[in-house]
Amino acid sequence: MALLTSRKADSSVRNRSALEPAGDYRTPDAADLWLLFAQATTATEFYESWLALQCQMLENVHCGLILIGQPDHGPYTPAGVWPDAGVNVTHLAAPAEKALKERRGLLLQSNRDGDGSSAQGDTYFIAYPIEVSNALNGVVVLE
């Protein structure tokens, strides 16, 4: 970790969102994402790069959302969307609300696919609340 935090990101990595394709239209590789995560200077950079890392580490993730808010009170609003902020993730609201309400991790089967119709295969939501010192700070949801 010390190696990552001491390295300087080149401007092509540092000046783009962790969720945006690089100039050559490829998905950022793990090294780029770890560098962005280690050098995050804002909450947005931190959340976006962390979410991108999680989504790339797991196979078959279609989209992800992290909601953050005032501890134990909310409202909880999007702090990061993967693969990019233009993706419609409104279908992740219900699993997010359920995980926030129950204050526990959930694995829920989805009844939809990418275009909003019923899913043909097995698609799942993973929703996990973010707690710090027993205070509910948000939730992360992956599909």
Side-chain angles (χ1 to χ4, degrees):
M1 189 64 152
L3 178 62
L4 285 177
T5 57
S6 65
R7 288 177 35 189
K8 295 283 185 200
D10 69 51
S11 61
S12 67
V13 172
R14 188 73 188 114
N15 291 330
R16 72 174 195 274
S17 166
L19 308 177
E20 293 175 6
D24 62 0
Y25 301 102
R26 66 174 173 79
T27 302
D29 65 17
D32 288 344
L33 292 174
W34 278 110
L35 194 56
L36 287 167
F37 178 70
Q39 295 183 345
T41 58
T42 67
T44 298
E45 288 175 356
F46 175 84
Y47 294 129
E48 286 181 349
S49 60
W50 181 87
L51 182 61
L53 281 165
Q54 304 314 302
C55 292
Q56 283 198 350
M57 282 191 246
L58 301 170
E59 291 184 25
N60 300 317
V61 175
H62 298 116
C63 59
L65 170 68
I66 185 167
L67 301 174
I68 300 294
Q70 183 180 358
D72 284 333
H73 294 78
Y76 300 99
T77 59
V81 174
W82 185 88
D84 64 64
V87 172
N88 181 353
V89 292
T90 56
H91 63 288
L92 301 181
E97 288 176 14
K98 187 171 176 67
L100 286 166
K101 181 179 178 183
E102 296 183 15
R103 293 181 82 130
R104 66 184 181 104
L106 301 170
L107 176 64
L108 304 167
Q109 190 161 13
S110 170
N111 62 356
R112 55 169 263 119
D113 64 16
D115 66 2
S117 61
S118 296
Q120 299 297 322
D122 291 333
T123 303
Y124 294 90
F125 299 118
I126 300 171
Y128 206 88
I130 301 167
E131 290 191 50
V132 179
S133 301
N134 294 321
L136 187 61
N137 285 261
V139 65
V140 62
V141 184
L142 306 178
E143 178 185 36

